Coordinates of all heavy atoms in Angstrom, one line a residue:
R96 N 14.7 -2.3 6.5 CA 14.6 -1.5 5.3 C 14.8 -2.3 4.1 O 15.8 -3.0 4.0 CB 15.6 -0.3 5.4 CG 15.5 0.5 6.7 CD 16.5 1.7 6.6 NE 16.5 2.5 7.8 CZ 17.5 2.4 8.8 NH1 18.5 1.6 8.6 NH2 17.4 3.2 9.8
A97 N 13.9 -2.2 3.1 CA 13.9 -3.0 2.0 C 13.6 -2.3 0.7 O 12.8 -1.4 0.7 CB 12.9 -4.2 2.1
A98 N 14.3 -2.7 -0.4 CA 14.0 -2.3 -1.8 C 13.2 -3.4 -2.3 O 13.7 -4.4 -2.7 CB 15.3 -2.0 -2.6
W99 N 11.9 -3.1 -2.4 CA 10.9 -4.1 -2.8 C 10.6 -4.1 -4.3 O 10.1 -3.1 -4.8 CB 9.6 -3.9 -2.1 CG 8.5 -4.9 -2.4 CD1 8.6 -6.2 -2.8 CD2 7.1 -4.7 -2.4 NE1 7.4 -6.8 -3.0 CE2 6.4 -5.9 -2.8 CE3 6.3 -3.6 -2.0 CZ2 5.0 -6.0 -2.8 CZ3 4.9 -3.7 -2.1 CH2 4.3 -4.9 -2.5
Q100 N 11.1 -5.1 -5.0 CA 10.8 -5.2 -6.5 C 9.5 -6.0 -6.7 O 9.4 -7.2 -6.5 CB 12.0 -6.0 -7.2 CG 13.3 -5.3 -7.1 CD 13.2 -3.8 -7.5 OE1 13.6 -2.9 -6.7 NE2 12.7 -3.5 -8.7
V101 N 8.5 -5.2 -7.0 CA 7.2 -5.8 -7.1 C 7.1 -6.8 -8.4 O 7.5 -6.4 -9.5 CB 6.1 -4.7 -7.3 CG1 4.7 -5.3 -7.4 CG2 6.2 -3.8 -6.1
A102 N 6.7 -8.0 -8.1 CA 6.6 -9.0 -9.2 C 5.6 -8.5 -10.3 O 4.6 -7.9 -9.9 CB 6.3 -10.3 -8.7
P103 N 5.8 -8.9 -11.5 CA 4.8 -8.5 -12.6 C 3.4 -9.1 -12.2 O 3.3 -10.3 -11.8 CB 5.4 -9.1 -13.8 CG 6.5 -10.1 -13.4 CD 6.9 -9.6 -12.1
G104 N 2.4 -8.3 -12.4 CA 1.1 -8.8 -12.1 C 0.7 -8.7 -10.7 O -0.5 -9.0 -10.3
D105 N 1.6 -8.5 -9.8 CA 1.3 -8.5 -8.3 C 0.5 -7.2 -8.0 O 0.8 -6.1 -8.5 CB 2.6 -8.5 -7.5 CG 2.3 -9.1 -6.1 OD1 1.2 -9.3 -5.7 OD2 3.3 -9.3 -5.4
D106 N -0.4 -7.3 -7.0 CA -1.2 -6.2 -6.6 C -0.5 -5.6 -5.4 O -0.7 -6.0 -4.2 CB -2.6 -6.7 -6.2 CG -3.5 -5.5 -5.9 OD1 -3.1 -4.4 -5.7 OD2 -4.8 -5.8 -5.8
W107 N 0.4 -4.6 -5.7 CA 1.2 -4.0 -4.6 C 0.3 -3.3 -3.6 O 0.7 -3.3 -2.4 CB 2.2 -3.0 -5.2 CG 1.6 -1.9 -6.0 CD1 1.4 -1.8 -7.3 CD2 1.1 -0.7 -5.5 NE1 0.8 -0.6 -7.7 CE2 0.6 0.1 -6.5 CE3 1.0 -0.1 -4.2 CZ2 0.0 1.4 -6.4 CZ3 0.5 1.2 -4.0 CH2 0.0 1.9 -5.1
A108 N -0.8 -2.7 -4.0 CA -1.6 -2.0 -3.1 C -2.2 -3.0 -2.1 O -2.3 -2.7 -0.9 CB -2.7 -1.3 -3.9
A109 N -2.7 -4.1 -2.5 CA -3.3 -5.1 -1.6 C -2.3 -5.6 -0.6 O -2.6 -5.8 0.6 CB -3.9 -6.3 -2.4
A110 N -1.0 -5.9 -1.1 CA 0.0 -6.4 -0.2 C 0.4 -5.3 0.9 O 0.5 -5.7 2.1 CB 1.3 -6.7 -1.0
L111 N 0.5 -4.1 0.5 CA 0.8 -3.0 1.5 C -0.4 -2.8 2.4 O -0.2 -2.6 3.6 CB 1.2 -1.7 0.7 CG 2.5 -1.7 0.0 CD1 2.7 -0.3 -0.7 CD2 3.7 -1.9 1.0
A112 N -1.6 -2.9 1.9 CA -2.8 -2.7 2.7 C -2.8 -3.7 3.8 O -3.1 -3.4 5.0 CB -4.0 -2.7 1.9
A113 N -2.5 -4.9 3.5 CA -2.6 -6.0 4.5 C -1.5 -5.8 5.6 O -1.8 -5.9 6.8 CB -2.4 -7.4 3.8
L114 N -0.3 -5.4 5.2 CA 0.8 -5.2 6.1 C 0.5 -4.0 7.1 O 0.6 -4.1 8.3 CB 2.1 -4.9 5.4 CG 3.3 -4.7 6.2 CD1 3.5 -5.9 7.2 CD2 4.6 -4.6 5.3
V115 N 0.1 -2.8 6.5 CA -0.1 -1.7 7.4 C -1.4 -1.9 8.2 O -1.4 -1.3 9.4 CB -0.2 -0.4 6.6 CG1 1.0 -0.1 5.7 CG2 -1.5 -0.4 5.6
A116 N -2.4 -2.6 7.8 CA -3.5 -2.9 8.6 C -3.2 -3.7 9.8 O -3.6 -3.5 10.9 CB -4.6 -3.6 7.8
K117 N -2.3 -4.7 9.6 CA -1.8 -5.5 10.7 C -1.0 -4.7 11.7 O -1.2 -4.9 12.9 CB -0.9 -6.7 10.2 CG -0.4 -7.6 11.2 CD -1.5 -8.3 12.0 CE -0.9 -9.4 12.9 NZ -2.0 -10.0 13.8
I118 N -0.2 -3.8 11.2 CA 0.6 -2.9 12.1 C -0.4 -2.0 12.9 O -0.2 -1.8 14.1 CB 1.5 -2.0 11.3 CG1 2.6 -2.9 10.7 CG2 2.1 -0.9 12.2 CD1 3.5 -2.2 9.7
A119 N -1.5 -1.5 12.3 CA -2.4 -0.7 13.0 C -3.2 -1.4 14.0 O -3.4 -0.9 15.1 CB -3.4 0.0 12.0
V120 N -3.6 -2.6 13.7 CA -4.3 -3.5 14.7 C -3.4 -3.7 15.9 O -3.9 -3.8 17.1 CB -4.7 -4.8 14.1 CG1 -5.2 -5.8 15.1 CG2 -5.8 -4.5 13.0
D121 N -2.1 -3.8 15.7 CA -1.2 -4.0 16.8 C -0.8 -2.8 17.5 O 0.0 -2.8 18.5 CB 0.1 -4.7 16.3 CG -0.1 -6.1 15.8 OD1 -1.2 -6.7 16.1 OD2 0.7 -6.7 15.0
G122 N -1.3 -1.6 17.1 CA -1.1 -0.4 17.8 C -0.1 0.6 17.2 O 0.2 1.6 17.7
G123 N 0.5 0.2 16.0 CA 1.5 1.0 15.4 C 1.0 1.9 14.3 O -0.1 1.7 13.9
G124 N 1.8 2.8 13.8 CA 1.4 3.7 12.8 C 2.2 3.4 11.5 O 3.3 2.9 11.5
S125 N 1.6 3.7 10.4 CA 2.2 3.5 9.0 C 1.9 4.7 8.1 O 0.9 5.4 8.3 CB 1.6 2.2 8.4 OG 1.9 1.1 9.1
L126 N 2.8 4.9 7.2 CA 2.7 6.1 6.3 C 3.1 5.6 4.9 O 4.2 5.0 4.7 CB 3.6 7.2 6.7 CG 3.8 8.4 5.8 CD1 2.5 9.1 5.6 CD2 4.8 9.4 6.4
I127 N 2.3 5.8 3.9 CA 2.5 5.3 2.5 C 2.4 6.6 1.6 O 1.4 7.2 1.6 CB 1.6 4.2 2.1 CG1 1.6 3.0 3.0 CG2 2.0 3.8 0.7 CD1 0.6 1.9 2.6
V128 N 3.5 6.8 0.8 CA 3.5 7.9 -0.1 C 3.6 7.4 -1.5 O 4.5 6.6 -1.8 CB 4.7 8.9 0.2 CG1 4.8 10.0 -0.8 CG2 4.7 9.4 1.6
V129 N 2.7 7.9 -2.4 CA 2.6 7.4 -3.8 C 2.7 8.7 -4.7 O 2.5 9.8 -4.2 CB 1.3 6.6 -4.0 CG1 1.3 5.3 -3.2 CG2 0.1 7.5 -3.7
P130 N 3.0 8.5 -6.0 CA 3.2 9.6 -6.8 C 2.0 10.5 -7.2 O 2.1 11.7 -7.3 CB 3.8 9.0 -8.1 CG 4.3 7.6 -7.7 CD 3.4 7.2 -6.6
D131 N 0.8 9.8 -7.3 CA -0.3 10.6 -7.8 C -1.6 10.1 -7.2 O -1.7 9.1 -6.5 CB -0.4 10.6 -9.3 CG -0.4 9.2 -9.9 OD1 -1.1 8.3 -9.4 OD2 0.4 8.9 -10.9
Q132 N -2.7 10.9 -7.6 CA -4.0 10.6 -7.0 C -4.5 9.2 -7.4 O -5.3 8.6 -6.7 CB -5.0 11.7 -7.4 CG -6.3 11.7 -6.7 CD -6.2 11.8 -5.2 OE1 -5.4 12.6 -4.7 NE2 -7.0 11.1 -4.4
R133 N -4.2 8.8 -8.6 CA -4.6 7.5 -9.1 C -4.1 6.4 -8.2 O -4.9 5.4 -7.8 CB -4.1 7.2 -10.5 CG -4.8 8.0 -11.6 CD -4.2 7.7 -12.9 NE -4.7 6.4 -13.4 CZ -4.1 5.6 -14.3 NH1 -2.9 6.0 -14.8 NH2 -4.7 4.5 -14.7
D134 N -2.9 6.5 -7.7 CA -2.3 5.5 -6.8 C -2.9 5.6 -5.4 O -3.1 4.6 -4.7 CB -0.8 5.7 -6.7 CG -0.1 5.2 -8.0 OD1 -0.6 4.3 -8.7 OD2 0.9 5.8 -8.3
V135 N -3.2 6.9 -5.0 CA -3.9 7.1 -3.7 C -5.3 6.3 -3.7 O -5.6 5.6 -2.8 CB -4.1 8.6 -3.4 CG1 -5.0 8.8 -2.2 CG2 -2.8 9.2 -3.2
D136 N -6.0 6.5 -4.8 CA -7.3 5.9 -4.9 C -7.2 4.4 -4.9 O -8.0 3.7 -4.3 CB -8.1 6.4 -6.2 CG -8.3 7.9 -6.2 OD1 -8.4 8.5 -5.1 OD2 -8.5 8.5 -7.3
K137 N -6.3 3.9 -5.6 CA -6.1 2.4 -5.7 C -5.7 1.9 -4.3 O -6.3 0.8 -3.9 CB -4.9 2.1 -6.7 CG -4.7 0.6 -6.8 CD -3.6 0.3 -7.8 CE -3.3 -1.2 -7.9 NZ -2.3 -1.5 -8.9
L138 N -4.8 2.5 -3.6 CA -4.4 2.1 -2.3 C -5.6 2.2 -1.3 O -5.8 1.3 -0.4 CB -3.3 2.9 -1.8 CG -2.5 2.5 -0.5 CD1 -2.0 1.1 -0.7 CD2 -1.3 3.4 -0.3
E139 N -6.4 3.3 -1.4 CA -7.5 3.5 -0.5 C -8.6 2.3 -0.7 O -9.1 1.8 0.3 CB -8.2 4.8 -0.7 CG -9.3 5.1 0.3 CD -9.9 6.5 0.1 OE1 -9.6 7.2 -0.9 OE2 -10.6 6.9 1.0
R140 N -8.8 2.0 -2.0 CA -9.7 0.9 -2.2 C -9.3 -0.4 -1.6 O -10.1 -1.2 -1.0 CB -9.9 0.7 -3.7 CG -10.8 1.8 -4.4 CD -11.2 1.4 -5.8 NE -10.0 1.2 -6.7 CZ -9.5 2.2 -7.4 NH1 -10.0 3.4 -7.4 NH2 -8.5 1.9 -8.2
A141 N -8.0 -0.7 -1.7 CA -7.4 -1.9 -1.1 C -7.5 -1.9 0.4 O -7.9 -2.9 1.0 CB -6.0 -2.1 -1.5
L142 N -7.3 -0.8 1.0 CA -7.4 -0.7 2.5 C -8.8 -0.8 3.0 O -9.1 -1.4 4.0 CB -6.8 0.7 2.9 CG -5.3 0.7 3.0 CD1 -4.8 2.2 3.1 CD2 -4.8 0.0 4.2
R143 N -9.8 -0.3 2.2 CA -11.2 -0.4 2.6 C -11.7 -1.8 2.5 O -12.8 -2.1 3.0 CB -12.0 0.5 1.8 CG -11.8 2.0 2.1 CD -12.8 2.9 1.5 NE -12.6 4.3 1.9 CZ -13.4 5.3 1.5 NH1 -14.4 5.0 0.7 NH2 -13.2 6.5 1.9

């Protein structure tokens, strides 16, 4: 369990997308909750 302080300018969506994609490929499940639809769209673009 971690409190992740995102560095300035870092693409948090891309970093999370890479991690959860790796978990999924290995057979695990992931769940990401964001505040609004803009963040959902950003995260979805990174995952795609």
Side-chain angles (χ1 to χ4, degrees):
R96 304 184 182 105
W99 179 31
Q100 296 310 125
V101 182
D105 202 353
D106 190 344
W107 60 266
L111 289 177
L114 181 56
V115 301
K117 180 62 174 174
I118 292 172
V120 170
D121 293 344
S125 299
L126 172 62
I127 305 178
V128 178
V129 294
D131 53 44
Q132 191 61 41
R133 292 180 76 203
D134 289 330
V135 171
D136 296 339
K137 180 178 180 180
L138 190 55
E139 186 179 10
R140 287 193 298 270
L142 280 163
R143 289 188 177 186

